[in-house]
Amino acid sequence: MASKRQHGVDGDALLTACDLRVSLPADGRAGLTRRTAEVVRGVDLTVRRGRTLALVGESGAGKTTLARAALRLLPEAHVSGRVTFDGCDVLSAGGGQLRAMRRRMQMIFQDPAGSLDPRMTAGRIVAEPLLAHRIGTRRQRRLRAAAMLGRVGLPADSAVRYPHEFSSGQRQRIAIARAIAPQPDLIICDEPVSSLDMSIRAQILNLLADLQEELGLSYLLIAHDLAVVERFADEAAVMYEGRIVETGRAQNLLTGGAGHPYTQSLIDSVLTGDPARRHAP
Amino acid sequence: MSDAPQTTFAVTQRAGPWARAGRKLTRSPMAMACAGVIALYVAAAAFAAFALAPQWQTSQDYARANQPPSLAAPLGTDAFGRSVLTKTLLGAKVSLTVGLVTNVIAIPLGMVLGAAAGYYGRRLDDVVMWLVATLAAIPGIIRVIALKFAFADTVLLEGTPVRVDLGGMAGVCVALSLTFWIGTCRLVRAEAMKIRQSDYVLAARAAGRSGPGILFAHVLPNVMHIGVINFSLGFVAAVMAEVVLSYLGIGVAVGAPSWGGMISAARSDLIVGRWWELTAAVGAMFVLVLALNLLGDRLRDALDPKAGKP
Amino acid sequence: MTDRMPLLNVCDLRTVFDTDSGPVCAVDGVSFAVRPGRTFALVGESGCGKTATALSVLALVPPPGRVTAGRVELAGEDLLALGERRMRAVRGGRIGMVFQEPATTLDPVFTCGRQVVEAIRLHRRVGARRAKATAIDMLARAGVDDPARRAKQYPHQLSGGLRQRVMIAIALAAGPELLIADEPTTALDVTTQWRILRLLRDLRDSDGLGVLLITHDLAVVAESADGVGVMYAGQLVETADVRTLFAEPAHPYTRGLLSCAARLGDGRGRFDAIAGTPPDLSAPPSGCRFHPRCPAGKGDQRCGSARPPLCMIGPGHWCACWQCSGDGASASAVRPDGSQIRRGGSPATQPNDGHGQERTDGI
């Protein structure tokens, strides 16, 4: 079973972005048109080892684009700036180096159903990163996949089942098992619980917290639910129209006060969840 | 350890997409009946190929030529005194062989090119689509005829035991498959373009999978259902195309038994009241095509990925 | 809450889906009332039957589902007894519905204005010009900026919040008495969410509508609802007015849900979770459907064998739990919608009685 990372000091910078800019083609296919829209406009951020950085903001702010571009998963985008992962430059890394880095950076998506190939069994899905990086023999991969599925709380015979046989929460667990299989350092969680029910959300977030503790993982959490961010994250960065407007410790940032006005407006919009304190009539 | 549920799964039967589709099909009486009919044809054709074919050429008997259906010859006899029933069965062998071989070539070809074009896009897509558009601009049957004539004298692997004479049935199959791959290619390409945008492909790329790996592990399995459905549709089209070609005299070797040939012979026969050859050929063709079409419909329903749990 | 006659009275509603794996009772004896000028929220997680309930009210349950028992009364008239033709007049005309995903429920090939006009002309005999003017007026009331221009735009040209406002305009265009809103803010941003909720509240107050709000988000309930019904696995497990429910939740599931929700200001830490997952409705647990996941009542035999009846535990506060109602003997014999229950009796004499009567059922 995986053990806590030994190399690297807890709290050190793991993933840093410096003046990161991402432009996407505004319409049509890349290459056919020169019209681009700058979606990420000069972003600096740092994810520390063993910690969670939350990226908050409304839809369209560029959070998902930022995360995907940092992993070089957007071939049609034009990316400039600097992104370093554990000291190595990500944006200019060659094929082999990039693949080695990919193994240590994994991703979890918002829609659990869409992120699992409906024609593959859970076991094959979880073993896929191991296969892609040629880790272990087939038997070892199978065993590790089964172990990961058990680690995330799925029943013993899950490995031969197909995604449609699982509930939403369980599918997200499969996605998490897939993410931790290659023993990564960093996991980017793109709205991992937004489409799940309330009670399942809590289970999944607790699972992620446990895994972070046990495996020394770092998370870049993209979320729009401020209350979840306050409970889960160490640091937070508020994004608005492609720029980071405020960063800091999550708990301090989100208790309001003398922060950026946009952050304050986000905080003000949150429903209190208390019938005695409704929004102003 | 998280407070996760240890649920048991309600269904214990195999739940793979093909297993589910198979169950849906077996539950449909119509599908099973059609499958039975097709199986009967295959059995009859096999029987004809092995038991009846050897004596075909030597069974001419002019004394018994042109007899209407009777107990001795259930479907009558043709101009050479041969049993029309035997001729129909041998024709079935020809039709089924053409249907099978044509699609075995056309469908994989269309699927691979379509998937690659849809997934990779850009240059590869341009090239494939140019090829498709160019070929599709020529009307179907003319395409087939042109290709058939082009291959008329070609003999592959001359001198080896696997000598393939493209002048006859092989030529029909190749000509038809080079024209049928287009439909599958277009459909698969459209689906591959959708799959390319899906989260699970993105997850595979994030996991470190390479392009060809994703193509074979994720794209092709998710378009396989299109291939299967098009196979059943293509089978019908190939059978009918072969009949047309043989009718025109440019199908399988002239004189060899085939339904098209039988229909062609009827042009002169009907005037003198000899209806049995035409009826046999048309009737056999009608039943086979009907069964294939109905089964194809059921297959499409069963394989519909949006249908959800059984 | 009993000062007004209920606008919508749902009584013992039962909806069953005939699936390949057997009959699934998606709505199992649900009763509640919506009063004019008030919002009643049905809250629960996916699969609890709240959307199925809303569809049953509108007689829009898709096959293989059908409503098998119960009454749905709109201002006294039983909707389930109406034929399809008369129900069409009710849908849109007397009951408006707002859906979750405006992107998919608005037709992409028609302009917004055209869709509002269509809703008006289906139910009111007005000329085209009058209808168009009314449509623009409705869009303005729904808070759409520059309504004349927006009316000529297509749904894809509008933001999520604006699309939802258009949906609301369509739902209210023909002047219905009741509005059903199914997860109206789930697909929206945080900043847009409360604006839409406030809009719904304002329109409700100005038009005297009754609102049936379906949601899984307790914060939305806290913000907008007057009365709440908590559903689990097709059954109503607790119902009360909103302040009572949040202040003194009685049912363990309600308590679990409330503690699951993270609130700003609580600081760093773990989340309270309810163990387990909602049951598979084709084979639900025997007795109380929540008992496999329930932290309370361990050792109580009744939890696993008998379905707890909905009993009154306070003014207007009902709970279906063996732990909060004791043996039920002291429970009042009045149902949430005001009608009397006869206690005891054999099933043969009380075919539809789901409350106030012990049952040893599995399904």
Side-chain angles (χ1 to χ4, degrees):
Chain A
M1 206 53 106
S3 60
K4 207 160 184 165
R5 301 242 139 254
Q6 296 306 313
H7 50 86
V9 179
D10 198 54
D12 257 8
L14 180 62
L15 177 76
T16 50
C18 259
D19 195 31
L20 182 62
R21 287 171 193 274
V22 182
S23 301
L24 291 176
D27 54 298
R29 292 155 40 158
L32 261 189
T33 170
R34 287 187 178 275
R35 274 195 4 180
T36 55
E38 202 178 25
V39 180
V40 180
R41 304 173 188 177
V43 159
D44 299 328
L45 57 75
T46 308
V47 182
R48 297 187 190 284
R49 222 178 267 281
R51 306 284 160 80
T52 301
L53 170 70
L55 206 49
V56 298
E58 296 178 285
S59 53
K63 316 187 288 290
T64 299
T65 310
L66 166 61
R68 292 187 187 181
L71 285 196
R72 285 179 64 180
L73 287 174
L74 294 176
E76 69 273 19
H78 183 255
V79 185
S80 67
R82 231 173 100 78
V83 177
T84 30
F85 179 75
D86 203 10
C88 309
D89 191 327
V90 175
L91 296 180
S92 61
Q97 226 188 352
L98 182 62
R99 287 193 68 222
M101 274 196 280
R102 282 260 169 87
R103 174 186 169 166
R104 299 169 62 195
M105 299 193 277
Q106 293 295 312
M107 200 156 168
I108 301 173
F109 301 82
Q110 175 172 1
D111 178 15
S115 67
L116 305 179
D117 187 335
R119 304 220 171 216
M120 286 172 80
T121 57
R124 274 187 69 203
I125 290 173
V126 173
E128 189 171 24
L130 303 173
L131 178 66
H133 295 284
R134 294 189 252 277
I135 302 172
T137 65
R138 183 185 289 193
R139 190 167 169 276
Q140 285 171 330
R141 287 196 286 266
R142 205 157 32 91
L143 287 174
R144 180 152 174 88
M148 292 297 101
L149 286 170
R151 178 65 196 80
V152 298
L154 288 169
D157 56 341
S158 302
V160 296
R161 301 279 171 178
Y162 287 86
H164 73 264
E165 298 183 74
F166 295 90
S167 69
S168 262
Q170 289 174 318
R171 284 187 209 135
Q172 199 64 305
R173 288 176 195 268
I174 297 175
I176 294 173
R178 174 175 62 188
I180 59 173
Q183 291 179 288
D185 295 298
L186 169 72
I187 301 186
I188 298 185
C189 307
D190 192 347
E191 307 263 16
V193 293
S194 306
S195 57
L196 301 175
D197 277 326
M198 289 292 177
S199 62
I200 312 292
R201 256 182 230 199
Q203 290 178 6
I204 298 292
L205 289 168
N206 284 345
L207 171 64
L208 286 173
D210 290 339
L211 289 172
Q212 179 171 46
E213 172 83 28
E214 185 185 314
L215 303 173
L217 295 170
S218 314
Y219 293 137
L220 174 60
L221 173 71
I222 299 175
H224 66 268
D225 187 339
L226 297 182
V228 162
V229 167
E230 190 198 17
R231 255 225 220 169
F232 190 84
D234 298 297
E235 289 164 357
V238 180
M239 203 162 169
Y240 177 65
E241 288 193 357
R243 291 194 180 83
I244 304 269
V245 296
E246 196 174 357
T247 51
R249 256 186 73 74
Q251 290 72 37
N252 297 344
L253 209 74
L254 296 174
T255 44
H260 193 279
Y262 178 67
T263 313
Q264 192 56 48
S265 76
L266 279 185
I267 296 170
D268 288 338
S269 311
V270 173
L271 299 175
T272 56
D274 181 357
R277 288 184 301 129
R278 292 186 170 175
H279 268 261
Chain B
M1 182 65 159
S2 62
D3 40 7
Q6 284 293 326
T7 52
T8 49
F9 291 94
V11 213
T12 46
Q13 55 199 174
R14 290 170 51 86
W18 298 107
R20 277 190 296 157
R23 275 199 298 275
K24 272 197 218 165
L25 269 186
T26 48
R27 270 203 288 258
S28 159
M30 173 76 81
M32 288 293 97
C34 292
V37 167
I38 295 169
L40 214 60
Y41 268 79
V42 171
F47 170 69
F50 293 112
L52 300 175
Q55 303 120 343
W56 176 248
Q57 289 301 104
T58 55
S59 65
Q60 302 175 26
D61 183 356
Y62 289 97
R64 285 213 291 237
N66 298 319
Q67 298 296 317
S70 63
L71 272 179
L75 289 176
T77 56
D78 69 352
F80 296 101
R82 298 175 291 200
S83 161
V84 169
L85 175 62
T86 311
K87 204 170 180 182
T88 310
L89 292 180
L90 286 169
K93 164 188 162 274
V94 167
S95 293
L96 289 173
T97 312
V98 169
L100 188 70
V101 174
T102 300
N103 286 286
V104 160
I105 302 174
I107 301 295
L109 183 65
M111 277 180 63
V112 170
L113 283 180
Y119 180 71
Y120 285 108
R122 291 187 233 158
R123 295 256 84 190
L124 183 56
D125 188 25
D126 289 340
V127 167
V128 172
M129 281 296 102
W130 169 82
L131 193 58
V132 163
T134 310
L135 283 179
I138 310 168
I141 210 69
I142 296 182
R143 238 183 288 152
V144 178
I145 293 172
L147 283 165
K148 178 75 169 51
F149 274 122
F151 289 130
D153 295 324
T154 323
V155 180
L156 295 178
L157 303 171
E158 178 92 57
T160 65
V162 199
R163 183 174 180 278
V164 180
D165 180 4
L166 287 180
M169 190 147 66
V172 172
C173 294
V174 169
L176 286 176
S177 58
L178 287 181
T179 204
F180 282 5
W181 70 275
I182 294 170
T184 304
C185 179
R186 276 191 177 134
L187 286 174
V188 168
R189 171 181 172 267
E191 192 67 20
M193 288 169 81
K194 273 194 281 177
I195 292 173
R196 181 177 66 182
Q197 308 290 351
S198 65
D199 272 352
Y200 59 85
V201 164
L202 187 60
R205 285 173 52 214
R209 215 87 196 248
S210 62
I214 295 179
L215 198 65
F216 284 97
H218 291 287
V219 180
L220 279 177
N222 279 293
V223 295
M224 199 65 80
H225 62 282
I226 297 179
V228 171
I229 291 166
N230 275 25
F231 192 99
S232 73
L233 295 176
F235 204 103
V236 175
V239 165
M240 299 207 295
E242 180 272 321
V243 166
V244 170
L245 288 180
S246 300
Y247 175 87
L248 292 174
I250 48 172
V252 301
V254 175
S258 76
W259 293 340
M262 290 163 79
I263 298 174
S264 173
R267 273 184 294 176
S268 42
D269 282 353
L270 268 184
I271 297 173
V272 291
R274 286 199 278 265
W275 52 270
W276 44 95
E277 238 186 301
L278 178 67
T279 314
V282 170
M285 205 174 101
F286 173 78
V287 173
L288 178 64
V289 165
L290 182 67
L292 283 169
N293 270 324
L294 288 175
L295 183 62
D297 273 347
R298 287 286 172 281
L299 201 58
R300 194 177 318 133
D301 289 342
L303 285 173
D304 186 351
K306 294 187 192 69
K309 288 190 176 185
Chain C
M1 280 265 284
T2 49
D3 50 318
R4 304 165 194 229
M5 269 303 296
L7 172 65
L8 178 74
N9 202 354
V10 175
C11 212
D12 255 346
L13 186 62
R14 192 151 300 158
T15 301
V16 173
F17 281 78
D18 296 313
T19 64
D20 286 339
S21 31
V24 168
C25 196
V27 182
D28 193 359
V30 169
S31 307
F32 60 88
V34 182
R35 287 166 215 285
R38 294 272 184 271
T39 301
F40 185 83
L42 268 183
V43 65
E45 301 178 291
S46 10
C48 72
K50 50 194 200 298
T51 301
T53 305
L55 291 177
S56 303
V57 166
L58 286 170
L60 281 178
V61 181
R66 57 203 162 88
V67 178
T68 54
R71 279 192 342 265
V72 174
E73 291 173 352
L74 182 67
E77 189 180 1
D78 187 3
L79 295 182
L80 295 177
L82 291 181
E84 175 64 15
R85 210 164 62 85
R86 292 175 64 194
M87 248 338 262
R88 273 205 292 269
V90 170
R91 291 182 205 127
R94 296 180 67 194
I95 303 181
M97 184 144 178
V98 178
F99 298 88
Q100 176 177 350
E101 270 285 0
T104 47
T105 40
L106 285 175
D107 194 327
V109 300
F110 292 113
T111 61
C112 299
R114 171 87 183 265
Q115 298 191 49
V116 182
V117 165
E118 183 187 358
I120 296 172
R121 297 191 75 185
L122 267 177
H123 298 283
R124 302 275 174 267
R125 295 206 162 283
V126 289
R129 195 170 302 180
R130 263 278 291 286
K132 195 148 170 250
T134 314
I136 296 181
D137 188 44
M138 261 331 297
L139 285 172
R141 284 189 68 207
V144 175
D145 58 307
D146 199 355
R149 186 175 66 98
R150 295 288 187 193
K152 296 203 197 89
Q153 286 187 323
Y154 289 88
H156 70 265
Q157 296 174 280
L158 304 179
S159 70
L162 272 178
R163 280 199 287 253
Q164 195 61 296
R165 290 176 191 271
V166 171
M167 269 255 64
I168 292 171
I170 292 174
L172 296 178
E177 306 156 49
L178 173 74
L179 178 67
I180 301 182
D182 190 349
E183 306 269 16
T185 57
T186 304
L188 301 176
D189 268 328
V190 159
T191 47
T192 322
Q193 235 185 17
W194 72 268
R195 291 206 185 96
I196 296 292
L197 290 175
R198 191 179 64 180
L199 169 68
L200 285 174
R201 195 190 56 209
D202 291 342
L203 290 171
R204 179 201 71 186
D205 289 340
S206 63
D207 291 356
L209 294 174
V211 176
L212 174 61
L213 176 66
I214 314 260
T215 181
H216 70 276
D217 190 344
L218 282 167
V220 168
V221 172
E223 179 68 23
S224 318
D226 300 299
V228 187
V230 179
M231 284 186 73
Y232 183 77
Q235 297 172 345
L236 198 64
V237 297
E238 188 168 359
T239 175
D241 77 272
V242 65
R243 277 161 224 262
T244 314
L245 194 88
F246 278 76
E248 300 158 10
H251 196 282
Y253 177 62
T254 314
R255 287 206 221 114
L257 268 190
L258 283 169
S259 68
C260 271
R263 248 156 260 183
L264 261 192
D266 286 349
R268 189 104 161 68
R270 282 175 76 82
F271 296 84
D272 291 329
I274 306 178
T277 48
D280 181 357
L281 286 183
S282 55
S286 59
C288 170
R289 290 190 180 173
F290 187 61
H291 88 261
R293 305 172 71 185
C294 186
K298 298 285 182 215
D300 189 338
Q301 296 291 70
R302 291 175 300 174
C303 291
S305 57
R307 175 180 170 176
L310 203 62
C311 302
M312 190 188 249
I313 54 172
H317 188 175
W318 297 73
C319 178
C321 179
W322 292 118
Q323 305 311 311
C324 59
S325 66
D327 60 350
S330 55
S332 166
V334 178
R335 282 210 196 93
D337 57 339
S339 54
Q340 298 284 108
I341 309 170
R342 281 193 326 118
R343 299 219 13 106
S346 63
T349 56
Q350 295 181 18
N352 289 328
D353 196 320
H355 310 299
Q357 178 183 5
E358 293 193 15
R359 296 200 306 187
T360 50
D361 67 325
I363 304 229

